[in-house]
């Protein structure tokens, strides 16, 4: 698989159905929108027509949740075929998914489950991502998920794992700054080590989101709240290291009025402009 | 521990019932997320069915379904596909529950079904078909087309449940009818058909030829069959025809 994704800087939102009409009736101040790929795969009717109408007005990113890159089995070929059909139809800026597994042996959890950072898991991820990129005929962006357990057998850090994966497959990276923060609290690492450890030239996108507090001092990646101060601070550090990079607010639950999300996005834009290059 | 063993054990733990407590706070988060996501998928996918049976009964049925029907598709949108069938077992004395859930499920499937053209009477007229052609003609149903036999008047119950719970049970039909669902343009539709019309439509939509269905209807019913067929075309129930 060959292919490159040129840098694209700008500020966007995760498009949710509550805001479809607003995006279609007026031009919103965003440089791109991101949609969940699976919501538009193997479907027609109003959902697909809406996405095509949005695509006429804005660049679109396809963000997937079901590739199951880290599973001990090969990717679902029918899934990849449907994703390829959608990508051809939408001509997205890029296609992304997560460093996770979602199921095994016909049981799909519909969750982003954690991968042990072992050589065996890295080999599976490299094999599976290579298959996916070959079928899709494009390099993907891979996002770091939040996690709530770690595995005693891990021999690599998450950032080392991502760096190795990118070097071996040519994939790019999507940094979810909230997820870096959540995992750093849950697993006790310095989030700046994460930023220092990833290959900056492979990062093409940043997600910003909020989280909630769980048991035993753990943070949970609920993506249902305002971006909190520690995440803004980490974002500033990320921009300092990466330079301009496509950034978006990702709200998955408790969807507020569009104006609230645009205000948060303006904050990201302002912070990015204030950070010294 | 190999990756395969680790992942099978992980899945088993998050999908287990509470007789097996989670092994850590982190695993409890994954288990809660798994159940919560599946439970939400059923609650939003079967909103009116939930209103009809009540929150407590619905949640018990949903918890049973989550344990007995682990999701196996890449899309969460199809997780509830066997839920109407389970409700038919759990509410065996209240057949309207499964019928209502079936209607709710099929309307959502029709809403997002793959696009297809609509076959019109004009298309048929322009095809200049001979009598022999008509006998061999088969029809492809419209996007999201589905049909099932029902014993209760759930089409009267359905709109009553849009915003709040309804109080009285739907009437039993004098004889089993056919409930159909399909999509026209962007809108899902449903209609209750009498047994004769339903049987003819289901046969035609299921792949029987026009001639085969006409033979089943019989000479006395041919005029009625023609009227039904004209109505089905006007409703956009077919997307294509095939000469085989």
């Amino acid at each position: 698989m060959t292919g490159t994704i040129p840098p694209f800087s700008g500020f966007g939102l995760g498009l949710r159905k509550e805001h479809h009409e607003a995006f279609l009736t007026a031009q919103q101040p965003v440089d791109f929108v991101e949609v969940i790929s699976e919501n538009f795969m193997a479907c027609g009717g109003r959902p697909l027509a809406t996405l095509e109408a949005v695509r006429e007005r804005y660049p679109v990113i396809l963000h997937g949740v079901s590739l199951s890159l880290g599973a001990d089995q090969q990717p679902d070929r029918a899934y990849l075929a449907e994703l390829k059909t959608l990508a051809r139809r939408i001509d997205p800026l890029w296609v992304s998914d997560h460093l996770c597994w979602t199921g095994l042996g016909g049981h799909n959890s519909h969750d982003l489950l954690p991968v042990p950072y072992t050589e065996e898991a890295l080999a599976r991820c490299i094999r599976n991502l290579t298959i996916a990129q070959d079928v899709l005929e494009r390099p993907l962006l891979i996002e770091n998920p939040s996690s709530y357990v770690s595995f005693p057998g891990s021999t690599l850090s998450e950032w080392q794992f991502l760096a190795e994966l990118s070097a071996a497959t040519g994939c790019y990276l999507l940094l979810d700054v909230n997820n870096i923060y959540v995992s750093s609290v849950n697993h006790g690492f310095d989030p700046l080590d994460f930023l220092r450890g990833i290959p900056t030239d492979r990062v093409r996108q940043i997600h910003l989101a909020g989280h909630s507090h769980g048991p035993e001092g753990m943070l949970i990646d609920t993506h249902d709240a305002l971006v909190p101060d520690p995440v803004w601070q980490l974002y500033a550090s990320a921009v300092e290291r990466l330079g301009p990079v496509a950034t978006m607010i990702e709200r998955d639950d408790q969807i507020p009025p569009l104006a609230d999300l645009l205000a948060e996005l303006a904050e990201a834009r302002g912070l990015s402009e204030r950070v010294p290059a | 521990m190999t990756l395969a063993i680790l992942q099978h054990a992980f899945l088993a733990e998050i999908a287990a019932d509470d007789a097996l407590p989670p092994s850590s706070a982190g695993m409890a988060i994954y288990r809660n997320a798994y159940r919560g996501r599946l439970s939400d998928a059923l609650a939003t996918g079967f909103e009116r069915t939930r209103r009809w049976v009540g929150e407590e009964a619905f949640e018990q049925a949903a918890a049973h379904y989550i344990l007995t029907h682990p999701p196996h598709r890449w899309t969460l949108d199809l997780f509830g596909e066997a839920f109407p069938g389970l409700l038919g077992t759990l509410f065996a004395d209240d057949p309207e529950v499964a019928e209502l859930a079936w209607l709710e499920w099929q309307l959502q499937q029709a809403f997002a079904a793959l696009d297809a053209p609509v076959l019109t009477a004009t298309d048929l007229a322009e095809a200049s078909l001979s009598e022999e052609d008509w006998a061999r003609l088969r029809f492809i149903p419209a996007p999201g087309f589905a049909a099932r036999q029902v014993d209760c008047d759930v089409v009267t119950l359905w709109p009553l449940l849009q915003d709040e719970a309804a109080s009285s049970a739907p009437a039993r039909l004098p004889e089993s009818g056919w409930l159909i669902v399909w999509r026209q343009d962007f809108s899902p539709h449903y209609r209750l058909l009498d047994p004769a019309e339903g049987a003819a439509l289901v046969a035609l939509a299921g792949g029987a030829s026009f001639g085969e269905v006409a033979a089943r209807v019989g000479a006395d019913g041919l005029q009625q069959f023609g009227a039904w067929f004209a109505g089905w075309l006007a409703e956009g129930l077919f997307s294509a025809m095939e000469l085989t």
Side-chain angles (χ1 to χ4, degrees):
Chain A
M1 207 291 308
T2 56
T4 58
I5 297 177
F8 173 92
S9 60
F11 293 83
L13 288 179
L15 180 63
R16 304 296 177 255
K17 63 177 185 295
E18 290 83 351
H19 302 141
H20 282 175
E21 193 178 340
F23 272 85
L24 291 175
T25 52
Q27 190 69 26
Q28 300 298 338
V30 298
D31 301 310
F32 65 90
V33 298
E34 182 188 271
V35 299
I36 302 300
S37 310
E38 287 79 1
N39 291 349
F40 301 94
M41 287 165 57
C43 87
R46 191 177 296 282
L48 186 59
T50 300
L51 179 60
E52 290 188 321
V54 166
R55 177 65 188 92
E56 288 176 10
R57 294 162 173 79
Y58 310 88
V60 168
I61 293 167
L62 294 177
H63 185 49
V65 294
S66 299
L67 176 58
S68 202
L69 170 66
D72 190 46
Q73 63 187 18
Q74 293 198 11
D76 180 336
R77 299 288 177 151
Y79 169 83
L80 289 176
E82 293 291 355
L83 180 55
K84 187 174 186 177
T85 298
L86 181 66
R88 281 186 168 163
R89 192 159 190 154
I90 297 303
D91 187 21
L93 274 175
W94 51 72
V95 178
S96 60
D97 207 296
H98 301 79
L99 175 59
C100 72
W101 60 290
T102 60
L104 195 69
H107 182 180
N108 192 337
S109 72
H110 295 289
D111 199 357
L112 309 177
L113 304 177
V115 172
Y117 302 127
T118 62
E119 294 295 338
E120 184 195 14
L122 179 61
R124 292 296 181 285
C125 287
I126 291 170
R127 179 197 66 186
N128 291 346
L129 184 53
T130 300
I131 290 170
Q133 292 186 145
D134 284 349
V135 170
L136 297 170
E137 298 179 282
R138 62 173 71 229
L140 299 185
L141 265 65
I142 299 302
E143 176 182 352
N144 58 299
S146 290
S147 63
Y148 314 107
V149 297
S150 54
F151 301 96
S154 290
T155 54
L156 300 166
S157 65
E158 185 178 5
W159 50 94
Q160 287 171 328
F161 196 97
L162 281 166
E164 296 273 347
L165 182 65
S166 178
T169 65
C171 77
Y172 291 83
L173 302 177
L174 192 178
L175 289 191
D176 188 311
V177 175
N178 174 63
N179 290 349
I180 296 174
Y181 181 74
V182 166
S183 291
S184 76
V185 170
N186 291 347
H187 305 307
F189 64 77
D190 182 347
L192 295 178
D193 283 345
F194 193 115
L195 292 181
R196 284 190 283 262
I198 46 116
T200 53
D201 62 323
R202 305 306 291 179
V203 178
R204 287 290 179 273
Q205 189 183 355
I206 285 177
H207 277 174
L208 293 171
H211 52 254
S212 59
H213 293 263
E216 300 184 12
M218 298 184 85
L219 299 182
I220 304 180
D221 155 37
T222 39
H223 278 55
D224 63 351
L226 289 166
V227 178
D229 284 343
V231 175
W232 282 125
Q233 288 165 20
L234 194 56
Y235 174 57
S237 299
V239 172
E240 203 171 340
R241 288 191 63 79
L242 301 170
V245 58
T247 297
M248 62 161 256
I249 306 291
E250 186 185 43
R251 187 69 73 90
D252 294 333
D253 208 349
Q254 306 292 321
I255 306 295
L258 180 58
D260 294 5
L261 292 178
L262 290 172
E264 258 192 309
L265 192 61
E267 198 170 334
R269 201 185 293 263
L271 193 154
S272 173
E273 287 167 357
R274 290 195 298 276
V275 170
Chain B
M1 181 186 289
T2 66
L3 186 63
I5 291 172
L6 182 151
Q7 291 184 335
H8 279 295
F10 197 106
L11 263 184
E13 183 170 347
I14 64 171
D17 65 24
D18 287 330
L20 182 70
S23 58
S24 67
M27 289 305 292
I29 292 171
Y30 284 110
R31 183 183 284 185
N32 287 340
Y34 174 81
R35 287 186 190 169
R37 187 170 288 110
L38 299 181
S39 180
D40 286 350
L42 294 175
T44 53
F46 295 93
E47 197 178 357
R48 296 195 196 192
T49 306
R50 186 167 183 251
R51 280 196 195 107
W52 177 244
V53 301
E55 195 166 327
E56 190 178 340
F58 186 89
E59 285 182 3
Q60 284 177 1
H64 183 63
Y65 185 75
I66 290 167
L67 280 174
T68 56
H69 294 71
H72 63 281
R73 310 272 204 149
W74 56 259
T75 171
L76 190 56
D77 289 347
L78 291 176
F79 172 55
E81 63 188 332
F83 194 51
L86 176 70
L87 292 177
T89 304
L90 296 179
F91 296 88
D93 295 333
D94 305 300
E96 82 282 358
V97 175
E99 293 173 2
L100 185 66
W102 180 89
L103 175 60
E104 189 154 30
W105 176 257
Q106 295 300 340
L107 286 170
Q108 287 179 62
Q109 297 307 301
F111 177 71
L114 289 170
D115 295 321
V118 176
L119 182 72
T120 66
T122 306
D123 295 330
L124 280 163
E126 289 176 351
S128 302
L129 300 161
S130 68
E131 198 167 319
E132 283 182 4
D133 290 338
W134 270 100
R136 293 189 294 125
L137 208 52
R138 297 176 197 275
F139 295 89
I140 309 297
F145 178 86
R148 73 162 277 167
Q149 283 187 292
V150 291
D151 293 317
C152 304
D153 184 10
V154 287
V155 299
T156 300
L157 178 62
W158 174 254
L160 300 177
L161 292 166
Q162 183 170 359
D163 298 314
E164 55 190 34
S167 53
S168 56
R172 286 274 184 153
L173 298 170
E175 54 183 333
S176 294
W178 282 93
L179 182 55
I180 62 166
V181 171
W182 76 103
R183 190 179 79 223
Q184 196 170 15
D185 298 325
F186 286 146
S187 301
H189 292 261
Y190 60 91
R191 185 161 73 86
L192 182 63
L193 282 62
D194 69 42
E197 182 184 2
L201 174 60
V202 167
L204 201 59
S209 70
F210 194 85
E212 288 164 347
V213 179
R216 284 186 213 178
V217 169
D220 293 345
L222 276 185
Q223 193 174 353
Q224 177 64 74
F225 180 43
W228 286 335
F229 183 71
W232 300 339
L233 286 177
E235 289 175 312
L237 285 176
F238 302 111
S239 64
M241 58 183 168
E242 289 177 345
L243 268 176
T244 56

